[in-house]
Amino acid sequence: MSMTTLWERSRQVAVQAILDTAVRLFAEQGYEQTTIAQIAREAGISQRSLFRYFGTKEDLVCGDQEALGELLKRTVEQQPAEMSAWDALRAGFEVILTANHPPERALELSRLIFDTPSLHARYIEKRLRWQAELVPVIRARLGSGPGRPAPDTQAKAIVATVFACIDTATELWAGHDGRIDLADLYDQCLAAVRDHG
Amino acid sequence: MSMTTLWERSRQVAVQAILDTAVRLFAEQGYEQTTIAQIAREAGISQRSLFRYFGTKEDLVCGDQEALGELLKRTVEQQPAEMSAWDALRAGFEVILTANHPPERALELSRLIFDTPSLHARYIEKRLRWQAELVPVIRARLGSGPGRPAPDTQAKAIVATVFACIDTATELWAGHDGRIDLADLYDQCLAAVRDHG
DNA sequence: CGCCTACTTGGCATTAACTGCCAGAAAGGC
DNA sequence: GCCTTTCTGGCAGTTAATGCCAAGTAGGCG
């Protein structure tokens, strides 16, 4: 794996150093009040190189979403074919949860994102890309009975709803300082939507 | 009504001129490729004043959301008490539809928003503020039976889902160039989510 | 070891979105 | 017609982000 050698490795070290510095400064003085110049200075790297590692300031917080999106898509695809769209998505969500940062860090990041409008927007933008990629995967799982909406409409609606519930659950979770299990909150959100009566 | 006189009126004129110029240029050359300087020049106003009317470039597209949010909240509140949360929200959505721009313009704006990731994200972010304001209104409408999630969780999940469906329906509507009724699409999205089987 | 190539790094200049400041014009009340 | 209030425009400055180029550094090879 680590065949591409030293370049690769020192890159990882630099990325981690930048990330630690950035998150610390964001927590200390807020996202908007922290400049790229300051992060670069304290991380001992040039501003120019920082932008090569992280294309935007927002990526310092929402950066590793790309990888998680890939993982999510693959996990959902690999669920048994007889599993419903809802259950497959739920399984994907579960995997993401365990693959994510240590909970303490995830909590810190979540708070930062939900409290900072520009970050929140960028986070949503990344999430929208996951959604678009998941739609075909979900469509393949739908029984196309008569009197049902077009499969594409169904798939888009289901995926959008699942993400809305993930988002809601995450916000509640951050609001409770992580004391309530995130998966439980997700199930409650989905139950509130899907259970009639 | 127009008691605050000429200032108010010429402000409206300027705002409309800026808006028309901006939307036209965005449609012609894309959002990212259009600069504030160009919009100001072609609208015959200084860059500085443009920023006084519209705090950010994104507000040129997503600006009038504030007013619509107020209308939505009031409409939902005023639905009869025995109406379910879902039906009350649907009634609010219906009112927004008729109060919105002329459909041709709405279509153009929708396309712009859905084709421009940063705009789409900002648009959703503004809507999240509507969501937060609607949660207490919806919570008041929930029957709090036993074995149900906490009312706050329920309300948040329901509101988030409704907006996810509105968003999905609008995207589909723009994709079909407005040839399919938006309210119908919304109903289809919600049916895909709520109907089991 | 020395050399050549491939890739990375850092500094410099530039752009675009904003923001603060201040002088000057225009509107409204008297 | 004056005086206050409010708006406008220009100018300078900040910050995020991008392109360019020269200098450095890893890796393979003789």
Side-chain angles (χ1 to χ4, degrees):
Chain A
M1 273 304 133
S2 55
M3 58 171 304
T4 13
T5 60
L6 202 154
W7 267 329
E8 202 75 10
R9 254 172 299 140
S10 64
R11 205 190 84 100
Q12 295 299 343
V13 171
V15 162
Q16 204 50 52
I18 296 169
L19 234 39
D20 289 342
T21 308
V23 172
R24 180 175 54 79
L25 289 174
F26 290 159
E28 278 174 17
Q29 26 173 291
Y31 178 78
E32 314 272 10
Q33 283 67 45
T34 306
T35 70
I36 291 282
Q38 188 185 9
I39 298 169
R41 203 179 326 119
E42 300 209 12
I45 199 178
S46 81
Q47 207 163 331
R48 194 64 190 82
S49 291
L50 199 158
F51 274 116
R52 266 195 275 265
Y53 288 135
F54 301 91
T56 71
K57 186 182 178 187
E58 284 138 354
D59 279 348
L60 287 165
V61 179
C62 315
D64 29 52
Q65 309 269 317
E66 328 285 296
L68 282 177
E70 263 310 301
L71 174 62
L72 174 63
K73 185 183 168 194
R74 258 184 292 119
T75 305
V76 172
E77 271 173 340
Q78 286 165 7
Q79 298 306 307
E82 67 271 16
M83 192 179 275
S84 77
W86 297 100
D87 291 339
L89 285 167
R90 159 104 224 207
F93 174 55
E94 195 102 29
V95 169
I96 294 269
L97 280 191
T98 65
N100 212 348
H101 296 277
E104 179 194 310
R105 180 113 178 184
L107 195 58
E108 196 170 16
L109 289 177
S110 295
R111 261 197 292 258
L112 198 56
I113 289 172
F114 282 103
D115 290 349
T116 311
S118 82
L119 272 180
H120 199 174
R122 179 69 72 172
Y123 171 74
I124 292 171
E125 193 192 324
K126 301 234 168 191
R127 237 193 39 197
L128 286 172
R129 218 161 304 149
W130 298 9
Q131 289 191 35
E133 284 177 12
L134 275 175
V135 167
V137 178
I138 291 304
R139 188 175 35 203
R141 229 169 250 276
L142 292 177
S144 58
R148 306 232 93 207
D152 205 65
T153 303
Q154 272 187 77
K156 276 185 156 71
I158 290 172
V159 172
T161 297
V162 164
F163 275 92
C165 286
I166 291 176
D167 202 40
T168 304
T170 306
E171 188 188 345
L172 287 163
W173 177 73
H176 287 293
D177 292 327
R179 288 190 307 268
I180 306 185
D181 185 63
L182 184 44
D184 284 351
L185 283 169
Y186 171 75
D187 288 335
Q188 286 177 32
C189 287
L190 215 53
V193 169
R194 304 250 304 148
D195 290 355
H196 297 194
Chain B
M1 273 304 131
S2 56
M3 57 173 305
T4 13
T5 62
L6 202 154
W7 266 330
E8 201 75 10
R9 254 172 300 140
S10 65
R11 205 188 84 100
Q12 296 298 343
V13 171
V15 162
Q16 203 51 52
I18 296 170
L19 235 39
D20 288 343
T21 308
V23 172
R24 179 175 55 79
L25 290 174
F26 289 158
E28 279 174 18
Q29 26 174 290
Y31 176 78
E32 316 272 9
Q33 285 67 43
T34 306
T35 70
I36 291 283
Q38 189 185 9
I39 298 169
R41 205 181 325 119
E42 299 209 12
I45 200 179
S46 80
Q47 208 164 331
R48 194 65 190 80
S49 291
L50 199 159
F51 274 116
R52 267 194 274 264
Y53 288 134
F54 302 91
T56 72
K57 188 181 176 185
E58 283 144 353
D59 280 348
L60 287 165
V61 179
C62 313
D64 28 53
Q65 310 268 316
E66 327 287 294
L68 282 177
E70 264 309 303
L71 174 62
L72 175 64
K73 185 183 170 194
R74 259 183 291 119
T75 305
V76 173
E77 271 174 339
Q78 286 164 8
Q79 299 306 306
E82 66 272 17
M83 193 179 274
S84 78
W86 297 99
D87 291 339
L89 285 167
R90 153 105 224 210
F93 173 54
E94 194 102 31
V95 169
I96 292 268
L97 280 190
T98 65
N100 212 346
H101 296 277
E104 179 193 310
R105 180 112 179 186
L107 195 58
E108 197 169 16
L109 288 177
S110 296
R111 261 196 294 256
L112 196 56
I113 289 171
F114 283 101
D115 289 349
T116 312
S118 79
L119 271 180
H120 194 181
R122 185 67 70 177
Y123 171 73
I124 291 177
E125 194 205 326
K126 295 232 169 195
R127 275 197 349 209
L128 284 173
R129 224 158 298 150
W130 301 7
Q131 290 190 34
E133 285 176 11
L134 274 174
V135 167
V137 178
I138 291 304
R139 188 174 37 204
R141 232 169 248 276
L142 293 176
S144 57
R148 305 232 94 207
D152 205 64
T153 303
Q154 268 187 80
K156 275 185 157 73
I158 290 172
V159 172
T161 296
V162 164
F163 275 93
C165 286
I166 292 177
D167 198 45
T168 304
T170 307
E171 186 188 348
L172 288 164
W173 177 73
H176 287 294
D177 293 327
R179 288 190 308 269
I180 306 185
D181 185 62
L182 183 46
D184 283 351
L185 283 168
Y186 171 74
D187 289 334
Q188 286 177 32
C189 287
L190 215 53
V193 170
R194 304 249 302 148
D195 289 354
H196 299 193

